[in-house]
Amino acid sequence: MQGSKPLERYELTRVRDRLSFLYVERATIARDRNALTIRTEEGTTYAPGAGLACLMVGPGTRITHQGMSLLGECGVSTVWVGERGIRYYAHGRSLASSTRYLVKQAELVSNVRGRVAVARAMYAMRFPDEDVSGLSMQQLRGREGARVKRIYKEESERTGVPWRRRDFDAMDFDASDGINAALSAAHTCLYGLTHAVIAAIGASPGLGFVHNGHERAFVYDIADLYKAEITIPLAFDVAAEDPPDIGSAVRHRARDAINTGHIISRMISDITTLFFKPEEAPAALDSLGRDDNVISLWDPKGIVAGGANYDEDI
């Protein structure tokens, strides 16, 4: 059978050590051994397949069968997006081989007390100097709204960029003013990376704790933890510079900020803290570096081994 030999799981780079994201448009993506080749009119660029967390595929891009095969083998979260990376269409396979995080997430989100506890912990991460343990969800939402409004005002004063309100058309990027276009581009980069991390650890992008009812609800939950630190300030910085291609400028600045802020590692750590008790967290983190590849069978009395004939138990 022709084709490249599939990569073994132990050869893959952990998601915490990968590059954040790569946006490609108007190119042909193929494979040269274990590297992606990105061919444009300017020439061919090579990218490490196992070194990417997220590949954002924009308009005018084609992927060969071997190119897609490498992305799948490496567990790169391949996200098909609209022009300038704004609209999300679809995504590819994750890196995870275990459901440890998914099972815990489902357990917490389906229990009112557990869901409130995780949602409150998320808000507590945004208000490290305040005690929010006694606040209701309604009070927490109000506090968060006031915080975001204050951040926009402070960033506007810092950069001199006029700010009225968040106003954008998801179907028309160019219809927005500079700062809203910059915010849309920055948040999209963060959403793509967050989606990649969530998929890589085996959690569900759709089972949110604060957000609800959307296929990416949990993506928005986690991304909101970093907007005030990462995407909002850099969007105002880029808008103040008024570059000719604001989307491209934002993406380059976002990659730098995500790298220097160690956002991938922090996302993994924060999700683990939200899901697991302190004594459970080390085992959960350790499972991310293993390929257990074990299918068990569920039983009310506990998990039993798969791949066995239980005819004598009848």
Side-chain angles (χ1 to χ4, degrees):
M1 181 178 295
Q2 295 182 347
S4 301
K5 180 182 177 182
L7 296 174
E8 299 291 339
R9 284 279 175 174
Y10 66 82
E11 297 180 291
L12 301 182
T13 307
R14 290 191 182 194
V15 68
R16 69 171 66 246
D17 299 320
R18 295 188 175 206
L19 301 176
S20 55
F21 66 88
L22 178 65
Y23 174 78
V24 178
E25 66 179 17
R26 296 174 177 82
T28 298
I29 299 174
R31 176 178 186 169
D32 183 359
R33 287 172 289 187
N34 292 331
L36 289 174
T37 61
I38 305 170
R39 189 172 73 250
T40 64
E41 294 179 352
E42 288 75 26
T44 300
T45 302
Y46 290 80
L52 289 175
C54 177
L55 176 67
M56 301 172 69
V57 183
T61 303
R62 297 179 295 175
I63 304 180
T64 67
H65 182 277
Q66 282 296 307
M68 196 64 239
S69 174
L70 179 63
L71 291 167
E73 291 166 10
C74 294
V76 178
S77 187
T78 309
V79 185
W80 281 261
V81 297
E83 191 168 7
R84 295 174 180 168
I86 299 304
R87 290 184 294 279
Y88 161 87
Y89 297 130
H91 70 277
R93 171 193 172 191
S94 85
L95 182 63
S97 63
S98 168
T99 60
R100 181 189 291 261
Y101 278 76
L102 177 60
V103 170
K104 190 65 176 181
Q105 181 184 15
E107 174 189 329
L108 291 168
V109 81
S110 58
N111 177 279
V112 174
R113 182 174 297 177
R115 184 168 186 170
V116 170
V118 173
R120 185 172 284 126
M122 287 180 177
Y123 282 115
M125 290 177 176
R126 305 176 206 179
F127 303 99
D129 300 324
E130 299 181 34
D131 181 10
V132 299
S133 59
L135 299 181
S136 67
M137 293 299 297
Q138 181 178 358
Q139 290 172 321
L140 289 168
R141 287 193 297 269
R143 188 73 62 86
E144 172 68 0
R147 182 185 78 112
V148 172
K149 186 176 181 180
R150 184 184 71 252
I151 291 170
Y152 283 140
K153 182 176 183 294
E154 291 174 349
E155 290 299 320
S156 176
E157 293 174 350
R158 179 181 68 84
T159 60
V161 175
W163 173 256
R164 295 188 300 275
R165 61 188 176 91
R166 188 76 173 102
D167 183 19
F168 67 98
D169 183 353
M171 303 303 293
D172 188 357
F173 181 81
D174 293 319
S176 302
D177 59 16
I179 181 55
N180 275 289
L183 285 167
S184 294
H187 292 340
T188 298
C189 294
L190 183 60
Y191 293 150
L193 176 64
T194 305
H195 195 136
V197 171
I198 290 171
I201 65 176
S204 169
L207 296 181
F209 293 85
V210 175
H211 294 85
N212 183 69
H214 190 274
E215 62 181 339
R216 305 183 83 194
F218 191 52
V219 173
Y220 301 138
D221 279 358
I222 298 302
D224 279 355
L225 301 178
Y226 310 99
K227 286 181 178 178
E229 176 187 350
I230 300 295
T231 54
I232 295 177
L234 75 83
F236 273 89
D237 286 338
V238 173
E241 297 167 3
D242 193 25
D245 187 344
I246 201 164
S248 177
V250 165
R251 287 193 295 272
H252 282 85
R253 194 73 61 87
R255 274 198 294 268
D256 292 341
I258 288 167
N259 180 50
T260 57
H262 306 288
I263 299 303
I264 295 178
S265 295
R266 287 171 55 186
M267 282 183 182
I268 297 171
S269 177
D270 288 342
I271 294 172
T272 303
T273 300
L274 291 168
F275 283 4
F276 299 97
K277 298 176 182 178
E279 61 271 20
E280 299 172 334
L285 288 170
D286 183 61
S287 71
L288 297 178
R290 299 198 314 266
D291 179 20
D292 294 331
N293 198 26
V294 175
I295 300 177
S296 304
L297 303 178
W298 179 83
D299 187 89
K301 297 180 181 179
I303 302 300
V304 298
N309 191 321
Y310 292 94
D311 179 60
E312 295 180 359
D313 293 346
I314 299 177

